[in-house]
Amino acid sequence: MGLSKLNQLYRYVIMEHNEHPQHFGLKETENSYLIEMHNPSCGDEITVELIFDQDKQYIEETRFTGQGCAISKASASMMTQVFQGIALEEAKRRADLFSQMVLGQEGDYSSLGDAAILEVVQTFPARINCATLAWKAVQNFDETSSDTHRREEIK
C-alpha cells in the first residue's frame, strides 16, 4: 500500500473513531472503577471506566468519556474494544505494548486490533501523550486499591 493510501486510511480510522466512538459514556455500576486522566500539556481529559466481573477476574466492559483532540478520543475508543472481556493482567500487557508501539519499538502489535494503526503517532512526538492518555489509566490501575474513583495527570 502506498504511503498516500496509508495516510488516508489512518485519517479515516481516526476520524471514524473520533466522530463515532465505541463504548462512549459511563455506566458506573457497583463493579466499576473510574480513572480520570488529564494531559496538562494540551488539556485532553479522558475518564476510563473498567467494569469487572463479580470476582474481579476479568474486565467485562471498558468505557470512556471526556474531551480532547481527535487522536486522544479515537485512541480511547479503540482501547475500549481491545480490553473487552480480558483479564486485567492481559489488559495491562496490551497497554504496555501500545506504549512501546507509539514510542517506535519493534514488536507484534496484532493483539491491539484497530489501535495498531496508531503506530504512525511515533512520527509525531507531540501527539504521543494524546494517543496514550486512556491507555495509561489501565497501565496505572491498582487492583488492590479500594478507591473506585481517582484522578491522574500524565507526565
Side-chain angles (χ1 to χ4, degrees), residues 3 6 13-14 34 36 39 55-57 59 68 72 84 94 103-105 107 126-127 140 142 144 146 154:
L3 188 57
L6 187 60
V13 171
I14 294 291
L34 300 177
E36 293 180 44
N39 183 352
D55 300 323
K56 209 171 169 186
Q57 296 297 309
I59 301 168
S72 69
Q84 302 298 13
R94 291 184 191 184
L103 291 172
Q105 298 174 11
R127 303 308 247 164
N140 299 337
D142 179 6
T144 63
S146 61
I154 62 169

Side-chain angles (χ1 to χ4, degrees), residues 43 45 71 76 118 134 137 146 148 155:
E45 299 259 352
I71 290 175
L118 292 172
S146 61
T148 61
K155 294 153 181 79

Side-chain angles (χ1 to χ4, degrees), residues 4 27 29 56 75 89 91-92 103 129 154:
S4 175
K27 287 187 175 178
T29 70
K56 209 171 169 186
S75 183
E89 287 177 21
K92 286 185 173 197
L103 291 172
N129 281 342
I154 62 169

